Amino acid sequence: MNNFQNILLVTVLITFIACNGAAMGKPVNDNIPEVALLEKKPSQPIQPATIQIALLLDTSGSMNGLIDQAKTQLWNLVNKMTYAQCNEVQANIEIALYEYGNTTIPQQEDFLRQIVPFSTDLDLISKELFALDTNGGDEYCGAVINHATKNLEWRNGTQDLKMLFIAGNESFLQGNTSIDDVMKDASQKDITVNTIFCGDAQTGISLKWKNAAFLGKGEYMVIDHNQQTQYVSTPYDDQILQLNSQLNSTYISYGSQGQSRIAQQNYIDNQTAGVSVTANVNRSVVKSKSVYNNAAWDLIDAAEDEEMLEDLILANKKTLDADLKDKSIEEIKAITLVKKKERESVQKSIIDLSEKREAYIKSQNAGENGLESAMINAVKKKAALKNYTWK
């Protein structure tokens, strides 16, 4: 009977220890409270907001200066937009491009043309800007806004910023499209319509550009479209351009369009360099940032991980450069990963220099450029209402 009681006592003690969470061979700490273990669900990454900019340019005969400003100021405009953040996450940028008022476009098409739908392909947008020609015609502002409102793929996120900019210098009321109806349609899609009059402020008011901005819940801005873009040379420009050449050497094209797209990249570099050193530096800075992405033709931008890179190489081996075609998949993969590290290093160096460059430009108290400044100021004002920050 004594043995039975001893066994029973030992069993009770073991059960008591187990219920209090003690493991064999480990002391029991009576001061530690029991904690319920809850299954922790992985947090979902915050989706970046998108800034959508539709740029509607008057390409009638008197607008050569406006087109020149668009060509030269695009890269600094995009560079300034890369500092926009929403919920502490860098916003994406999409740009669409229209021309209107050009008699080379049939009248039954309202003298307007969608050149590029919303796109992140900055080289394509720049190429199309350089290809624009002016030719006298009627400027149907209502028609081109109506087309952009209805035919572009506008996003519907609550934090997305949807901005339409129309620039010109004739009466806003030309054509048969109702301005009131157009602005109502834009408002229903949360699209802000900003007007940029190329001329003096009072003339723009009399030609209804200010009233159009009021109806579009946007900004009325005035620029001298014939003003030359102001450039500020800095001690860092040459270094950035040298790094840009190194950056270009890291691209590994693939696919049916790979060769033509890398040729286009070099073409835009040369065209921008022909405009000014500063424009070329601004382009180089943008190329160092994530907004400049060429996943459609570059292996490094396209591959999210090594497994995906291997699959891309396998599927597109025949389209690679001649010096890569005869190498094994593993060799190509190794070369690509080395190029990726080199690119990251070069991009970091450009960004570091660009910060010093920006500080230098500010110290020079340089004036503002018309089209670029008007658009940036309007975007910042609207973005503030959606809690964007600029870093």
Side-chain angles (χ1 to χ4, degrees), residues 82 90-92 285-294 301 347 351:
T82 62
Q90 180 179 320
N92 293 326
V285 171
V286 172
K287 286 169 67 177
S288 71
K289 299 183 177 184
S290 60
V291 68
Y292 185 78
N293 186 284
N294 296 287
D301 282 345
Q347 287 175 325
I351 289 173

Side-chain angles (χ1 to χ4, degrees), residues 203-218:
T203 301
I205 292 172
S206 65
L207 294 177
K208 303 302 180 182
W209 283 74
K210 184 175 183 180
N211 182 62
F214 172 77
L215 295 174
K217 300 179 180 178

Side-chain angles (χ1 to χ4, degrees), residues 32-222:
I32 299 177
E34 294 183 21
V35 178
L37 297 178
L38 301 177
E39 182 181 353
K40 186 177 180 181
K41 295 182 180 179
S43 58
Q44 295 296 319
I46 298 174
Q47 292 300 313
T50 300
I51 299 175
Q52 291 185 299
I53 296 176
L55 181 57
L56 284 47
L57 297 175
D58 178 354
T59 57
S60 62
S62 58
M63 289 289 106
N64 284 310
L66 175 66
I67 305 308
D68 287 342
Q69 287 194 22
K71 292 175 187 176
T72 57
Q73 296 171 24
L74 170 69
W75 295 101
N76 201 37
L77 170 68
V78 173
N79 185 35
K80 295 289 177 64
M81 294 299 173
T82 62
Y83 294 102
Q85 292 192 353
C86 185
N87 298 320
E88 301 297 319
V89 177
Q90 180 179 320
N92 293 326
I93 303 167
E94 295 178 350
I95 299 176
L97 185 62
Y98 273 79
E99 67 168 321
Y100 73 102
N102 197 313
T103 53
T104 61
I105 305 168
Q107 184 175 5
Q108 60 266 32
E109 297 176 16
D110 289 324
F111 303 116
L112 67 89
R113 177 172 70 101
Q114 183 191 91
I115 303 170
V116 182
F118 279 126
S119 175
T120 58
D121 191 338
L122 299 176
D123 280 354
L124 174 62
I125 295 164
S126 184
K127 176 187 174 184
E128 294 294 346
L129 282 172
F130 276 107
L132 285 179
D133 287 319
T134 57
N135 205 335
D138 294 325
E139 297 91 342
Y140 297 164
C141 296
V144 70
I145 294 172
N146 183 55
H147 195 283
T149 299
K150 292 182 176 178
N151 292 281
L152 290 174
E153 292 187 11
W154 297 95
R155 295 181 176 270
N156 56 13
T158 56
Q159 298 296 141
D160 294 326
L161 198 61
K162 294 173 281 190
M163 308 283 285
L164 188 152
F165 292 86
I166 180 167
N169 70 341
E170 296 294 339
S171 170
F172 208 90
L173 304 181
Q174 291 185 64
N176 299 319
T177 306
S178 167
I179 300 300
D180 288 338
D181 291 345
V182 164
M183 296 305 182
K184 286 178 183 177
D185 289 342
S187 179
Q188 288 175 355
K189 291 188 175 183
D190 195 27
I191 301 168
T192 302
V193 180
N194 305 277
T195 65
I196 304 174
F197 183 71
C198 302
D200 68 89
Q202 193 56 48
T203 301
I205 292 172
S206 65
L207 294 177
K208 303 302 180 182
W209 283 74
K210 184 175 183 180
N211 182 62
F214 172 77
L215 295 174
K217 300 179 180 178
E219 299 296 312
Y220 167 59
M221 296 158 283
V222 176

Side-chain angles (χ1 to χ4, degrees), residues 224-251:
D224 178 0
H225 59 294
N226 292 317
Q227 180 185 24
Q228 294 294 313
T229 299
Q230 298 186 50
Y231 303 117
V232 177
S233 297
T234 81
Y236 310 101
D237 293 349
D238 289 343
Q239 298 174 69
I240 291 174
L241 292 177
Q242 290 172 7
L243 287 167
N244 179 60
S245 297
Q246 295 180 38
L247 187 63
N248 285 350
S249 69
T250 66
Y251 283 87

